[in-house]
């Protein structure tokens, strides 16, 4: 299933042979997938602009290039029913689950109107309403949280007798988390109790400045699922339709009681680890290769080739999403700062 794709300074890149045809894809779904990815890209580009203009502070980790993973997985979930747990690279996950653009941008500006009331910033987006369990700054920190959500869903059904308790949780994390203890511990528990969870590895080849194949004895992460008797699948993370199809299969298994899936999405980030990273470690040939596999351009070509959208319609969507992001910036700039008198609020649960 896996074929050699290209030789770089860090070894052969992998590409999954299984591709998803668009013949059975409706126009509405195709355009929704495209719009979601474009929104994510526009948002992240604007974040970079605001950061370098001194309007946004702290650590900011952008998602450019990985949009097919967020869109493909989250669009396979039930909105406000299933759960999503993110990492420090969480802006686009928040947008994909439906957190309003204004709220996400305001949070990055540290404003009271943000989805975390300005207390979380870039790495700690949260929305109970949209079932976003949060972004987590430490490597692999969100995986046990996601496991707890999946356990809660199973407990509600099997112990409390709630037949509607069939929510599935998607836990996003990077390749750098897959040598950490909690990754293996959570895989074991999820498979032992057949928990409804999807472990989504966003393998962008780099853990900060460490190339993936230099840090792990077996770089094919999805194969680690076999040690626990779990389903593991590798997918082209630059193909939103392939990611969506794989996520749909995994969600169906989870919701029907068949247990978890480890889904490895082969993708690539187009910017440095964070906006403070000059991105001088990665080979230029490698970056050029992956730039040619842009997931948004790929879906655009598929939609036009199959007559599901005209180039004009897609260009209009681009403009609409750029306008939404520009509006979010104006909203965030004008939004009030958190009040100093509430400095200690949200530290303890309010009764």
């Amino acid at each position: 299933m896996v074929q050699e794709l290209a030789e770089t300074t860090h070894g052969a890149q992998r590409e999954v042979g299984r591709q998803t045809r668009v013949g059975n894809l409706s126009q509405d779904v195709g355009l929704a997938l495209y719009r979601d990815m474009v929104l994510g890209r526009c948002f992240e580009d604007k974040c970079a602009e605001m950061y370098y203009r001194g309007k946004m502070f702290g650590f900011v980790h952008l998602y450019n290039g990985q949009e097919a993973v967020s869109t493909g997985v989250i669009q396979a979930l039930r909105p406000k029913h299933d759960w999503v747990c993110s990492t420090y690279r969480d802006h686009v996950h928040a947008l994909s689950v439906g957190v309003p653009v204004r709220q996400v941008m305001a949070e990055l500006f540290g404003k009271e109107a943000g989805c975390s009331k300005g207390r979380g910033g870039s790495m700690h987006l949260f929305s109970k309403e949209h079932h976003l369990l949060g972004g987590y700054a430490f490597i692999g920190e969100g995986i046990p949280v996601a496991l707890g959500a999946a356990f809660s869903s199973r407990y509600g059904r099997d112990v409390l007798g709630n037949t509607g308790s069939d929510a599935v949780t998607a836990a996003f994390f990077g390749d750098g988390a897959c040598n950490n203890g909690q990754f293996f511990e959570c895989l074991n528990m999820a498979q032992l109790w057949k928990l409804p969870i999807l472990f989504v590895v966003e393998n962008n080849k780099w853990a900060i400045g460490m190339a993936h194949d230099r840090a792990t004895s077996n770089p094919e992460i999805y194969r680690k699922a076999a040690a626990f008797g779990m389903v593991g699948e590798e997918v082209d993370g630059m193909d939103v339709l392939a990611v969506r199809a794989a996520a749909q299969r995994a969600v169906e298994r989870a919701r029907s009681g068949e247990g978890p899936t480890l889904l490895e999405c082969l993708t690539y980030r187009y910017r440095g680890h964070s906006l403070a990273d000059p991105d001088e470690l990665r080979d230029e040939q490698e970056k050029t290769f992956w730039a040619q596999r842009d997931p948004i351009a790929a879906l655009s070509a598929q939609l036009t080739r199959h007559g599901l959208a005209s180039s004009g319609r897609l260009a209009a969507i681009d403009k609409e999403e750029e306008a939404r992001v520009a509006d979010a910036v104006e909203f965030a700039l004008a939004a009030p700062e958190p009040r100093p008198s509430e400095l200690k609020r949200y530290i303890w649960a309010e009764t």
Side-chain angles (χ1 to χ4, degrees):
M1 186 176 72
V2 179
Q3 59 185 0
E4 299 297 341
L5 187 59
E7 294 291 333
T8 71
T9 55
H10 299 296
Q13 302 294 337
R14 290 179 282 147
E15 180 187 37
V16 174
R18 176 187 291 177
Q19 302 291 322
T20 304
R21 294 183 297 178
V22 298
N24 60 352
L25 184 72
S26 72
Q27 183 182 63
D28 288 347
V29 171
L31 292 178
L33 296 173
Y34 180 81
R35 183 182 293 277
D36 193 58
M37 288 200 293
V38 168
L39 171 60
R41 180 70 60 86
C42 290
F43 188 94
E44 298 294 68
D45 286 344
K46 183 61 70 173
C47 284
E49 178 188 338
M50 292 296 104
Y51 182 89
Y52 291 129
R53 287 176 57 187
K55 302 294 184 180
M56 192 179 292
F57 305 96
F59 287 104
V60 179
H61 306 80
L62 300 187
Y63 201 76
N64 299 57
Q66 299 181 206
E67 296 88 355
V69 182
S70 178
T71 296
V73 171
I74 293 175
Q75 292 298 317
L77 302 174
R78 293 182 191 170
K80 299 184 180 181
H81 179 79
D82 296 327
W83 296 88
V84 168
C85 197
S86 187
T87 66
Y88 49 74
R89 206 178 300 278
D90 57 352
H91 311 163
V92 177
H93 295 150
L95 295 171
S96 289
V97 299
V99 181
V101 186
R102 284 182 166 190
Q103 287 187 20
V104 181
M105 188 65 77
E107 186 59 40
L108 270 64
F109 278 73
K111 298 299 184 73
E112 183 71 31
C115 59
S116 299
K117 307 298 183 185
R119 275 73 166 180
S122 171
M123 295 189 285
H124 300 288
L125 302 177
F126 172 83
S127 177
K128 179 180 179 181
E129 176 187 355
H130 298 90
H131 284 210
L132 176 65
L133 292 167
Y136 295 86
F138 288 100
I139 306 302
E141 182 184 12
I143 304 176
V145 175
L147 189 81
F151 175 81
S152 178
S153 177
R154 185 70 187 268
Y155 188 88
R157 187 193 69 185
D158 293 355
V159 179
L160 301 182
N162 181 2
T163 57
S165 183
D166 64 348
V168 174
T169 301
F172 290 89
F173 49 94
D175 50 281
C178 295
N179 291 321
N180 287 12
Q182 64 265 42
F183 167 73
F184 296 100
E185 293 165 5
C186 290
L187 258 63
N188 178 65
M189 187 175 293
Q191 180 64 13
L192 178 66
W193 291 336
K194 294 293 187 289
L195 299 184
I197 187 169
L198 175 53
F199 297 100
V200 184
V201 185
E202 301 190 276
N203 185 354
N204 62 23
K205 314 295 182 290
W206 290 83
I208 307 180
M210 173 62 72
H212 172 60
D213 60 357
R214 292 183 61 195
T216 183
S217 59
N218 183 358
E220 294 183 299
I221 298 170
Y222 76 101
R223 294 185 183 277
K224 299 178 190 287
F228 303 95
M230 183 187 300
V231 175
E233 184 171 350
E234 183 186 63
V235 65
D236 182 358
M238 307 301 272
D239 181 345
V240 67
L241 300 181
V243 174
R244 177 172 173 265
Q248 287 174 328
R249 292 190 291 271
V251 168
E252 182 180 357
R253 284 194 295 268
R255 211 180 304 281
S256 64
E258 296 179 26
T261 299
L262 176 62
L263 180 63
E264 180 183 4
C265 301
L266 303 180
T267 185
Y268 199 76
R269 55 173 165 81
Y270 288 162
R271 293 182 179 269
H273 172 68
S274 75
L275 287 176
D277 175 13
D279 196 21
E280 296 174 345
L281 295 176
R282 300 188 298 176
D283 184 78
E284 289 300 323
Q285 182 182 358
E286 176 184 304
K287 289 190 281 188
T288 299
F289 168 79
W290 286 99
Q292 295 170 348
R293 305 195 67 241
D294 189 303
I296 298 176
L299 181 61
S300 173
Q302 288 174 309
L303 293 176
T304 54
R305 184 167 60 249
H306 291 269
L308 294 176
S310 65
S311 57
R313 180 71 183 99
L314 298 180
I317 291 176
D318 295 347
K319 294 295 184 183
E320 290 164 9
E321 297 311 309
E322 289 172 3
R324 287 179 69 194
V325 172
D327 168 76
V329 170
E330 295 303 315
F331 173 82
L333 289 170
E337 301 279 352
R339 287 175 290 183
S341 62
E342 293 192 337
L343 178 63
K344 296 181 180 179
R345 192 179 178 190
Y346 304 119
I347 296 176
W348 307 103
E350 298 180 356
T351 58

